[in-house]
Amino acid sequence: MPRFNFWTVVMILTWLLLFVLLFIPVGSVLVSSFYDQSGNPTFANYLKFLGEPRFHQAFVNTLVVGFGGLLGALLLGSIMAFCVSRFVIGGGRFVSLLAILALVSPPFIGAYSWIVLFGAGGVVRGFLRDLGINMPPIYGVGGILIVFSLKFYPYVYLMVSGALSNVNRSLEEAAEGLGLTPLQRTFKISFPMVFPALTAGGLLALIHAIADFGTPRLLGRGYNVLATEAFTLYSAEVGSNMSMATTISVILILVSMVFVMLQRYMSRRNVYHGNMINKPSRIRLKGWRNVLAHFAVYFIGLCGAMPVIISVIYSFRKTSGPVFQSGFALQSYERILFNLGDVVRNSLTFSIAAVVLIVIVGTVVGVLVARRTNFNTALLDGAFMVPYVMPGIVIGIAFIAAFNTGPIVLTGTATIIILSVFIRRLPYTVRTTASSLRQISPSMEEAAVSLGYSPFQAFLRITVPLIVPGIIAGGMLSFVTAINELSSSLVLYVGSTMTMPVRIYLLILDGDFGTAAALSTVLLVLSGCAVYIAFRFMGRNEQALL
Amino acid sequence: MSYLTVSNATKQFGQSFMALNGVSVAVERGEFFTLLGPSGCGKTTLLRSIAGFNDLTSGEITLNGANLRVVPPHQRDIGMVFQDYAVFPHLSVFDNVAFGLKPRKVPAAEIKTRVTQALDAVRLGALADRLPAAMSGGQQQRIGLARAMVINPQLLLMDEPLSNLDAKLRIELREEIRDIQKQVDIATIYVTHDQEEALAISDRICVMNAGRIEQVGTPQDIYGNPQTRFVAEFVGTLNLFNPGAALDAMLGHLGLSAAGAAAWAVRPEHLGLIASGATAPADAAVLDGIVTKFTYLGREAHVGVETPAGNLVVQLANPGMAASRAAGEKVSVVVPQSAPMAFDAEGQRLGRKG
Ligand SMILES: Nc1ncnc2c1ncn2[C@@H]1O[C@H](COP(=O)(O)OP(=O)(O)OP(=O)(O)O)[C@@H](O)[C@H]1O
Ligand SMILES: [Mg+2]
């Protein structure tokens, strides 16, 4: 049968793809970590990791920013989720727009905006100093944690508000009927119901926090984490140490693996749905409570969106060289137009190429996973987990380790950047396609077959139109990830393949905030358009951004 | 030869499980044929092998004399109505119904008239341009019905089309299905596990159990003359007598016997109640007993009576106020001579002497 052959070919190609883009890079990282710089097998790298205080520090610091980010995100996210889903908050849609803004803006923009406000020469800090209040600059672990909390709280907010609005009010009423006080009720009924969502959202924040490279790099000022350590070892002009960089990558993979597993376990437990006849209603607060709730929600929302606001404002400020002058001008945009056109073009072409690949391959493989259960799709499903545990910096280093020499040489090409984005985002598309296919009743296609359409035609005319809006939406969200990707591109770029995030990062290091802000604004506008299109196709669904 | 024949159909799932185990049925032109049986007995499996969605392990299917098993499902020209409606959510009601006419190369003008007719038949004419997503289950199933009928298929298959609807709508729609089927005169196989539904709409019923056929017959046959104990118990309810002296005495009194009888049974509605000690009518036996339970259901009442021949349920039609019985009351159960049925150890119905 030709159909069988088609799917067999798809299966073989999928494994081939995974082999080249996943197993070889991961394998190369692993192998490289067991060799020294001159190519002799050794355990020395791991012994060195265990022996050197600097690496211990990086390991501990990684956990500190991870758990710190988790706690901060939990605190802000659950306050916001609780207020928004239980109280009447004016402009609720605006608030969740603020959360989306925080979510789609890349974290390194956040880092630099906070530097603008609270850095050594920060505006707010300067203003406070004039008032006689001396506050330390934001650099160091404190700054990193503030940025992470404000950047990652939407994960907790979106997951918990989803769960909270699914807690059947009858349960709380029943508890009330049993004589529990409101506080007892919260802890005994509502809390256990949202606990899985809380932990799942918090762990998501943690995973992103330990994978993030830009924030500790820009704000840390010597506060090293595994991601920055790996990058430094890899990129040092003198004494670049690939073996050690890969060793740290392996450790980073292991650390995130633990938390990704935990996160998946908690999300699976997040299934309290029940019947929703008795939807929880929102209470209209009065007096100071109302003010407090509104203040909390808007404070968190605006702080989270602050980087976006700052970069938009600063992008229009008049500059002289890298220094800001008073007044507004379009100079920064002019600079982009005249000097950085190729960077914008690179970003767009790479992202579009990656998204097209992701959509085509992801959809075909998603169909394979959902419809051909007789193949070894469980294994395939498992293999697709791997990119989830690979921080961008590790993917970058892994691709260098795999494709610098040997049969396939890709370093310095646009292809390697496109493929690195492709492999990280592919699992997401495969999963969403497979799950939306599983939601379409098989009798739908059977109905078409019984009406005289061949199975393939039935698939094209019934199933495809039903999943296409979801695929377009998923593609748009992949575009957002692709165009904002910094860490893997930073490892993989050469002069001719520089992308917008890399350029922004370098501009910030050079102190050219005006151009960085303008470039960030362009990035934000592009991301915003993509999110808008995605929501047009699948309805406003913030959960899909997670 | 019948219009549709299935002979010796078997379907094996996994290593040893037989979902169909030697099933043979024959359906005539224009006939409304129902497959009735408990969950998991293989009704869907049989229906889907006729539709071509799963192939039999062995056996033959012919439609109008032609071997159906070699025809791919989309060329079988068999209309199907699904339990979950399977209405296409991205197409309007009109386009849903027109969907099957397109591959048949029907001219556009004719599509318009045929679809309009079909929609009128299911009383959805006014909703033709709407999208089906927000419609009620009953409306969606009407779309499904119109869509399957409009192609004038050689055969119409329906797999529990009403089981997702509420009770009242189920009755309403089953009458409609029955009327429309008679109008278009397409042979139909209808699957249900609701015995009342099967009795109400079928020309003939095929009762299945564990991958085998128990009995095929008209509704009257199936209910009034069940050939196996399974059929008697599944369609309607059955009182089983306890074997023993009391049963033997009763059978003796009625002059009944059956060689090899392993069980005697009687339907609740064939029994009557009289005051304890009152004289029995002619051609009937009485069993003295004590009322254990009285359930009033409006149109009927069920009285549980403990007798020496076992606990019997007596069904009283149109019970008046006076028919009420209290637990502990002494009564006599009337067993008419025609009522008891005998079954052998395998559950096959036995002929009675006397
Ligand atoms: N694809 C399959 N693989 C394995 N077993 C199956 C498969 N399809 C059906 N079965 C088994 O075959 C038996 C008959 O299934 P079938 O769906 O025909 O029952 P049914 O009479 O339609 O029941 P219901 O009234 O619940 O729909 C069941 O025990 C079922 O579990
Ligand atoms: Mg069934």
Side-chain angles (χ1 to χ4, degrees), chain A residues 441-455 457 461-463 465-466, chain B residues 48 53 73-74 78 80 82 84 86-90 99-100 102-104 147-148 151:
Chain A
S441 154
S443 57
M444 209 79 88
E445 267 180 43
E446 285 175 356
V449 169
S450 77
L451 291 170
Y453 292 84
S454 71
Q457 275 184 320
R461 284 167 169 263
I462 301 302
T463 310
L466 290 177
Chain B
R48 288 173 61 83
F53 296 134
H74 64 283
I78 290 177
M80 186 133 181
F82 294 82
D84 60 1
V87 169
F88 308 131
H90 60 302
F99 195 75
K102 303 226 170 90
R104 289 178 167 71
R147 187 179 64 184
I151 60 172

Side-chain angles (χ1 to χ4, degrees), chain A residues 253-466:
Chain A
I253 291 176
L254 292 178
V255 173
S256 26
M257 196 138 79
V258 171
F259 294 111
V260 169
M261 293 298 166
L262 206 61
Q263 202 276 339
R264 280 177 65 79
Y265 174 73
M266 292 318 287
S267 329
R268 264 204 299 277
R269 282 188 47 199
N270 188 6
V271 284
Y272 296 111
H273 284 305
N275 71 34
M276 289 315 297
I277 298 163
N278 201 349
K279 277 241 177 216
S281 64
R282 293 193 173 87
I283 305 169
R284 192 173 288 279
L285 290 177
K286 294 229 160 48
W288 65 270
R289 290 168 200 271
N290 194 20
V291 174
L292 188 67
H294 275 80
F295 176 77
V297 166
Y298 276 90
F299 182 77
I300 297 171
L302 287 172
C303 282
M306 188 65 79
V308 174
I309 299 164
I310 294 290
S311 45
V312 173
I313 295 174
Y314 272 59
S315 71
F316 290 107
R317 282 188 63 178
K318 198 181 276 179
T319 58
S320 152
V323 186
F324 286 111
Q325 311 287 316
S326 61
F328 290 94
L330 290 176
Q331 285 167 312
S332 301
Y333 290 98
E334 281 161 14
R335 263 202 300 280
I336 296 180
L337 213 56
F338 295 126
N339 302 332
L340 299 173
D342 52 336
V343 173
V344 178
R345 201 171 43 243
N346 275 349
S347 264
L348 282 174
T349 39
F350 297 173
S351 305
I352 290 171
V355 166
V356 168
L357 273 180
I358 289 167
V359 165
I360 295 172
V361 179
T363 305
V364 174
V365 178
V367 173
L368 178 86
V369 169
R371 289 292 163 84
R372 306 279 132 178
T373 41
N374 48 338
F375 286 114
N376 202 345
T377 46
L379 199 64
L380 197 63
D381 226 26
F384 274 119
M385 274 300 299
V386 179
Y388 281 96
V389 302
M390 304 264 283
I393 212 90
V394 174
I395 292 259
I397 291 176
F399 268 48
I400 292 285
F403 304 123
N404 205 15
T405 55
I408 314 170
V409 177
L410 291 175
T411 39
T413 62
T415 313
I416 198 168
I417 295 186
I418 295 171
L419 289 179
S420 71
V421 172
F422 166 74
I423 196 67
R424 279 186 81 186
R425 192 61 187 180
L426 182 65
Y428 172 86
T429 311
V430 170
R431 260 164 226 278
T432 47
T433 307
S435 80
S436 64
L437 274 174
R438 289 197 187 103
Q439 273 162 20
I440 298 175
S441 154
S443 57
M444 209 79 88
E445 267 180 43
E446 285 175 356
V449 169
S450 77
L451 291 170
Y453 292 84
S454 71
F456 185 64
Q457 275 184 320
F459 177 75
L460 278 188
R461 284 167 169 263
I462 301 302
T463 310
V464 169
L466 290 177

Side-chain angles (χ1 to χ4, degrees), chain B residues 13-14 17-20 37-46 54 83 159-160 191-193:
Chain B
F13 285 119
F17 179 75
M18 302 294 279
L20 295 177
S39 193
C41 69
K43 309 179 293 286
T44 299
T45 307
L46 178 57
N54 57 26
Q83 184 172 5
D159 192 354
E160 309 199 30
V191 165
T192 180
H193 55 234

Side-chain angles (χ1 to χ4, degrees), chain B residues 5-12 20 23 45-50 52-61 69 76:
Chain B
T5 64
V6 177
S7 25
N8 281 317
T10 64
K11 175 72 187 177
Q12 185 168 349
L20 295 177
V23 169
T45 307
L46 178 57
L47 204 71
R48 288 173 61 83
S49 2
I50 296 172
F53 296 134
N54 57 26
D55 198 22
L56 293 175
T57 306
S58 71
E60 267 149 47
I61 307 177
R69 278 186 68 187
R76 290 195 181 188

